[in-house]
Amino acid sequence: MIINEGVLELNLITSTAVGIFLLLLGMWLNKKVDIFKKYCIPSPVIGGFSFAVIVWLLREFDVVQLKTDTTIGDLLMFVFFVTIGLAGSLSLIKKGGKVLFFYILVCWGLAIFQNGFGVALASLLGIDPLLGIASGSAALEGGHGMAAAMAPSIEAAGGTGALTVGLAAATYGLVAGSLIGGPLGNWLIKKNKLKIETDDNWARSVDEPEKQNQVASINYKNVLTIVAVILLVLAFGTNVAKWLTYVTGFTIPGHVFSLFVGLLFASFNNKKNIVHIDSKILDVFSMVALELFLTMAMMNLKIWELYDLAVPLLIILLAQTIAIIFIAWLIIFKVTGKNYDAALLAAGFIGHGLGATANALAVMDAITKKYGVVSKKAFFIIPVSGSMLVDIVGVPSIVIFTNFFAH
């Protein structure tokens, strides 16, 4: 730790240790405080935001300014993006059938819409269009992880305060998605007098275990294999991204390009079986990387940057909320069958379109508990789309909009 002219700088080890402590604190509070469980508020947000509030108060009262080293957090962000790619594959679209295909098309359209709508609203309200992108699909459809991951690129393009705006928008989305998704699904069921039944044939087809996931064991070799694959994908992806940025003049973030390298490798590996990638171990890597990276990103939240943006940001977010309600009602519900499964998908769409996949699962779970019928279709399509496939278009959309409105 270094104290210099009223600034307390935490070194790499101390910053990481504080981040882990805050993550564990957030996990504990998540179990103890009902409101956190009710709205599916992630543990990293609870712990990291608590630290950000302390930093803000110390700054406001001229006690000391705290600065942290984000090196480990940045590395974990890269690792998380690679695990997203490795966990997905192009074959998932085929497995999900026509309903998944239509659903993911709407999700991809939503990503583009949220960015364009955010830019338009920001321009009308007289604020930087880049902040409309920061509070668009990166924060809403992408959630806290994507908002924090894309903020450096947006800020480098001129969008001062993108991290703070993005994380604030993502927090709003978590609460709004949890509050609105369930009531909309319930309203669709009652309004259309839907039969409370689900597609059992479809459910049986997706319950069939894939051969490569029948045996899962956590051992030295399997862990080392995944570490090697992640690092090789990162080494290739980040360096090629730098080269493409230099050649084209179009900024391509290394972690974004690495995600697609991982996706292509996973699709090829599933066919050729070059190496065994244990899905359970990959999930552990992904979860640890995401939660610690997100905690450390929240630690750097500059709350004071929201002073002048509070009203415009709220208007943007309310408008985005109204838009997604109509998309879920008039498009998702209709293209996915106008039945009980479709009502659940519409509810889940709002959950992850505003907040995160966990919100989508929570609101669908609430509906199925009320009506007593679980839709395997909805509970397969939502996680596959919200956690993996949406990024195929969602992430490039953010990059393209950011480059276009860079200044």
Side-chain angles (χ1 to χ4, degrees), residues 14 66 131 155 233 241 265 290 299 329 344 376 389 391 404:
T14 306
L66 286 176
L131 297 183
E155 290 185 341
V233 169
F265 176 81
L290 171 61
M299 288 166 59
W329 170 27
L344 284 173
K376 292 285 186 179
L389 297 180
D391 293 325
F404 187 81

Side-chain angles (χ1 to χ4, degrees), residues 150 250-253 256 394-404:
M150 300 309 299
F250 186 88
T251 302
I252 301 175
V256 173
V395 175
S397 170
I398 299 167
V399 174
I400 292 170
F401 271 89
T402 300
N403 276 274
F404 187 81

Side-chain angles (χ1 to χ4, degrees), residues 59-270:
R59 185 180 186 274
E60 287 296 297
F61 291 101
D62 278 332
V63 177
V64 69
Q65 292 187 45
L66 286 176
K67 288 188 177 181
T68 58
D69 189 318
T70 61
T71 303
I72 293 297
D74 294 341
L75 174 61
L76 292 170
M77 175 184 72
F78 278 65
V79 170
F80 169 64
F81 267 68
V82 173
T83 60
I84 292 176
L86 293 175
S89 70
L90 300 177
S91 62
L92 282 172
I93 298 178
K94 181 179 179 181
K95 181 180 178 182
K98 183 172 65 174
V99 176
L100 173 59
F101 179 73
F102 287 140
Y103 184 88
I104 194 60
L105 279 181
V106 180
C107 288
W108 289 339
L110 177 68
I112 298 170
F113 170 80
Q114 286 181 333
N115 288 323
F117 196 37
V119 165
L121 290 170
S123 299
L124 287 173
L125 293 168
I127 62 175
D128 193 337
L130 288 171
L131 297 183
I133 300 170
S135 58
S137 70
L140 300 177
E141 197 169 38
H144 285 85
M146 188 64 69
M150 300 309 299
S153 299
I154 298 174
E155 290 185 341
T160 304
L163 176 62
T164 303
V165 168
L167 292 177
T171 302
Y172 163 88
L174 281 176
V175 177
S178 296
L179 288 173
I180 299 170
L184 177 80
N186 184 60
W187 177 76
L188 286 172
I189 291 170
K190 290 187 173 182
K191 178 180 182 296
N192 296 281
K193 299 178 181 178
L194 302 177
K195 290 184 179 180
I196 310 303
E197 59 185 17
T198 188
D199 188 343
D200 291 331
N201 292 326
W202 197 96
R204 281 195 293 273
S205 69
V206 298
D207 281 340
E208 296 174 1
E210 296 181 20
K211 292 181 180 179
Q212 64 183 43
N213 291 326
Q214 286 179 343
V215 179
S217 59
I218 298 178
N219 56 47
Y220 168 77
K221 181 181 178 181
N222 288 342
V223 171
L224 185 62
T225 298
I226 289 180
V227 171
V229 170
I230 289 174
L231 291 177
L232 288 170
V233 169
L234 274 177
F236 178 81
T238 53
N239 283 294
V240 172
K242 283 183 180 179
W243 177 77
L244 288 173
T245 298
Y246 174 75
V247 171
T248 64
F250 186 88
T251 302
I252 301 175
H255 56 289
V256 173
F257 191 80
S258 297
L259 182 155
F260 289 98
V261 174
L263 179 66
L264 293 174
F265 176 81
S267 299
F268 183 75
N269 188 56
N270 286 344

